[in-house]
Amino acid sequence: MTAIKLFNLDAGSAKEIPGSATPLEKSLQNVIERNLETMLGIRLLGSEYSTGPKHGGRIDTLGIDENASPVIIEYKRATNQNVITQGLFYLDWLFDHRAEFKLLVQERLGEQAARTIDWTAPRLLCVAGGFTRYDEHAVQQMNRNIELIRYRRFGENLLMLELVNPNPIMGDQGTSGGGATERPSSNKKTMSDKLAALDGPLQDIYQALRAHLMALGDDVQEKTLKFYVAFKRLRNFARVKVRPSKVALSVYLNVNPDTITLKRGFTRDVRNMKWAGDLEVTIRTPEDLERAKPLLLMSYEAG
């Protein structure tokens, strides 16, 4: 666990802002849920969602993320609460109730969102004031997509969320304990197909881009989805699409196009494209990658 200190710099004098990780209250859960998309890239589907009389539980927060993966969020409110075990209890319920989840997505977000649910690796997010090394070790032994998020409050208006256990690579071939991987019904090639077929200069550029993104920080996670590779911290900061027919890579970033000078054929404003990010960067050559690196860093720092 890292020790994070926050200071207020007033007239050149540093004054520490005391941080606290008191037991998580319902009011903090409400704040997170109201800002779920901004904080974690997740769309809210339900709060205190009932799993029915037979299962007898309530999921603290149920949602779907920007990669169309189902998400369960559990908050640790008591010091003796095993939030990881509790979350796994609900994750198993989710795998057994896919039809119910799909119907919920359809009701809240529409038919298109329901059709694109990705069941390859549903996520469990455990939010607490702190975790022990035993918690972190236990999660490493489980074949599940579990993220431990530590929170800390500074004063009245500052909230820190820290990913404790970044998982460097999350591929789309495993099931994370949840059954077979769903494949698209069309004949359109998936991202895995395109990556497997990469060769020549485009393969070299992709590997150089991937290496650069992974080296931006220890908290970078990678997930290969059906039609793009997502690189994320608490939320996506880069989505990479391979376009073999154009011998190019399209990278979608969280960079405001208004803050840079757009260059035809290299950068494009894509704010009108839902869930695509704000800026598209086209990379065809090693020189393009070098030009893109400051933009990649900007998106990483914003993520």
Side-chain angles (χ1 to χ4, degrees), residues 83-103:
V83 69
I84 299 172
T85 301
Q86 182 172 304
L88 287 171
F89 181 65
Y90 293 129
L91 198 58
D92 283 341
W93 173 88
L94 180 64
F95 280 125
D96 291 336
H97 292 78
R98 298 187 188 198
E100 180 177 334
F101 182 84
K102 183 176 182 179
L103 181 60

Side-chain angles (χ1 to χ4, degrees), residues 57-237:
R58 284 188 177 274
I59 297 172
D60 287 344
T61 303
L62 184 63
I64 186 167
D65 72 12
E66 53 202 327
N67 298 321
S69 294
V71 183
I72 288 172
I73 305 177
E74 288 295 310
Y75 308 88
K76 184 175 182 178
R77 294 189 173 85
T79 55
N80 62 345
Q81 180 183 5
N82 193 329
V83 69
I84 299 172
T85 301
Q86 182 172 304
L88 287 171
F89 181 65
Y90 293 129
L91 198 58
D92 283 341
W93 173 88
L94 180 64
F95 280 125
D96 291 336
H97 292 78
R98 298 187 188 198
E100 180 177 334
F101 182 84
K102 183 176 182 179
L103 181 60
L104 179 64
V105 173
Q106 182 175 326
E107 291 174 350
R108 300 292 173 86
L109 303 176
E111 178 64 31
Q112 176 61 27
R115 285 200 303 267
T116 59
I117 298 172
D118 186 346
W119 286 101
T120 57
R123 299 166 62 197
L124 168 60
L125 276 58
C126 301
V127 180
F131 297 93
T132 68
R133 60 178 179 174
Y134 303 109
D135 292 329
E136 297 179 45
H137 180 75
V139 168
Q140 291 175 4
Q141 307 309 309
M142 300 174 186
N143 187 28
R144 295 295 180 95
N145 194 6
I146 304 173
E147 297 164 60
L148 306 180
I149 298 177
R150 182 167 72 103
Y151 77 90
R152 195 166 181 83
R153 303 190 72 162
F154 294 89
E156 291 295 322
N157 299 315
L158 296 177
L159 172 66
M160 180 207 74
L161 298 178
E162 177 192 15
L163 182 61
V164 175
N165 66 323
N167 180 14
I169 299 177
M170 298 182 295
D172 70 344
Q173 300 306 312
T175 64
S176 284
T181 299
E182 295 185 5
R183 306 295 290 182
S185 56
S186 69
N187 292 324
K188 189 173 183 179
K189 286 186 176 181
T190 66
M191 189 64 188
S192 292
D193 296 331
K194 292 179 179 179
L195 291 176
L198 273 181
D199 60 7
L202 190 58
Q203 181 183 39
D204 295 337
I205 293 171
Y206 175 79
Q207 291 300 334
L209 171 64
R210 178 185 178 276
H212 180 75
L213 292 172
M214 296 300 295
L216 287 174
D218 293 337
D219 58 347
V220 177
Q221 302 174 84
E222 176 189 26
K223 184 175 182 182
T224 303
L225 297 156
K226 291 177 181 177
F227 302 122
Y228 62 88
V229 180
F231 294 86
K232 64 186 287 290
R233 300 173 78 188
L234 284 176
R235 59 177 303 179
N236 288 350
F237 69 89

Side-chain angles (χ1 to χ4, degrees), residues 23-58:
L24 193 147
E25 299 173 348
K26 176 63 176 177
S27 60
L28 181 56
Q29 177 182 340
N30 292 340
V31 168
I32 293 175
E33 288 180 341
R34 284 197 302 270
N35 299 278
L36 201 57
E37 195 167 329
T38 299
M39 291 181 173
L40 298 170
I42 296 169
R43 288 175 283 184
L44 180 66
L45 297 174
S47 179
E48 304 297 336
Y49 185 83
S50 173
T51 57
K54 184 175 181 179
H55 189 266
R58 284 188 177 274

Side-chain angles (χ1 to χ4, degrees), residues 2-15:
T2 57
I4 292 178
K5 291 180 177 290
L6 188 65
F7 295 91
N8 182 13
L9 301 178
D10 187 11
S13 178
K15 183 178 180 181

